[in-house]
């Protein structure tokens, strides 16, 4: 395994992103992390947002297109729905990785269908696959190679390596 981004690099980038988001989004926006991979990123982002003057509401959604495999199945499944009202809100949909774009596209569409005022998207890492470019993600932490299998910082290999404090790639 090789390290792509260190703990210090991640902390610095999240702080930059939080500053930008806090400046651009209205107060009281809904921070909507996609479980399970985005939970560590979202927690650090939330704390950084607070340091920059934002105090968003938080609710989770769980989507799956991997189902324990190393490649997307191509079908997105809603595993856990929001528990708060979406209508009329500005929502920041936060995910761990933008690869095929299916999960983010599905989540954004679902939120807009429920009457959100606007949906912005934020990902910890965008894989340079070419597919992800069509979605137009609003906030991107890092970029990684198309063939990198990412682990650490919330991302896992069948439930393992989520707790690594850095982002790695399994060769």
């Amino acid at each position: 395994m090789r390290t792509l981004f260190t703990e210090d690099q991640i902390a610095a980038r999240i702080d930059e992103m939080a500053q930008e988001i806090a400046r651009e989004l209205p107060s009281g926006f809904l921070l909507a992390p996609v479980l399970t991979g985005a939970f560590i990123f979202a927690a650090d982002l939330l704390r950084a947002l607070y340091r920059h003057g934002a105090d968003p509401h938080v609710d989770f959604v769980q989507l799956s297109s991997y189902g324990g495999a190393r490649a997307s199945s191509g079908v997105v499944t809603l595993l856990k729905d929001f528990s708060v009202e979406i209508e009329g809100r500005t929502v920041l949909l936060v995910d761990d990785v933008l690869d095929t774009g299916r999960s983010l596209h599905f989540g954004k569409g679902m939120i807009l269908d429920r009457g959100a005022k606007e949906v912005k998207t934020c990902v910890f890492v965008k894989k340079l696959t070419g597919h992800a470019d069509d979605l137009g993600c609003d906030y991107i932490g890092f970029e990684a190679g198309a063939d990198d299998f990412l682990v650490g910082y919330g991302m896992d290999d069948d439930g393992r390596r989520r707790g690594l404090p850095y982002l790695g790639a399994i060769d």
Side-chain angles (χ1 to χ4, degrees):
M1 181 168 48
R2 60 194 155 86
T3 300
L4 298 177
F5 301 102
T6 67
E7 194 171 358
D8 290 341
Q9 288 173 308
I10 291 169
R13 181 64 186 124
I14 288 175
D15 190 69
E16 291 170 0
M17 293 173 74
Q19 188 173 21
E20 182 180 356
I21 292 166
R23 187 176 55 245
E24 293 177 0
L25 295 188
S27 66
F29 70 90
L30 176 64
L31 181 77
V34 177
L35 295 173
T36 302
F39 79 102
I40 290 176
F41 170 51
D44 286 349
L45 180 63
L46 178 63
R47 286 186 287 266
L49 284 164
Y50 192 79
R51 285 191 299 273
H52 289 286
D55 190 14
H57 296 261
V58 180
D59 194 27
F60 298 90
V61 64
Q62 187 171 16
L63 306 173
S64 176
S65 67
Y66 285 81
R70 284 192 171 187
S72 174
S73 68
V75 177
V76 179
T77 306
L78 176 65
L79 300 176
K80 182 213 173 291
D81 207 342
F82 291 104
S83 59
V84 299
E85 183 64 39
I86 302 296
E87 189 173 347
R89 298 181 100 152
T90 294
V91 178
L92 179 63
L93 186 62
V94 178
D95 208 353
D96 56 352
V97 62
L98 176 55
D99 187 350
T100 65
R102 287 185 189 104
S103 293
L104 218 51
H105 179 75
F106 177 91
K108 185 175 181 177
M110 178 182 74
I111 293 166
L112 286 170
D113 287 347
R114 293 181 182 182
K117 181 179 178 182
E118 71 175 328
V119 180
K120 297 290 186 174
T121 54
C122 176
V123 296
F124 178 59
V125 62
K126 174 185 170 183
K127 291 180 85 173
L128 299 174
T129 60
H131 304 293
D133 294 334
D134 298 335
L135 190 60
C137 189
D138 299 293
Y139 306 99
I140 299 167
F142 297 98
E143 293 181 339
D147 296 327
D148 287 336
F149 184 78
L150 305 173
V151 294
Y153 207 73
M155 289 173 262
D156 71 310
D157 181 10
D158 197 23
R160 297 181 311 271
R161 299 190 173 114
R162 276 193 202 279
L164 295 173
Y166 57 88
L167 183 64
I170 296 176
D171 294 318

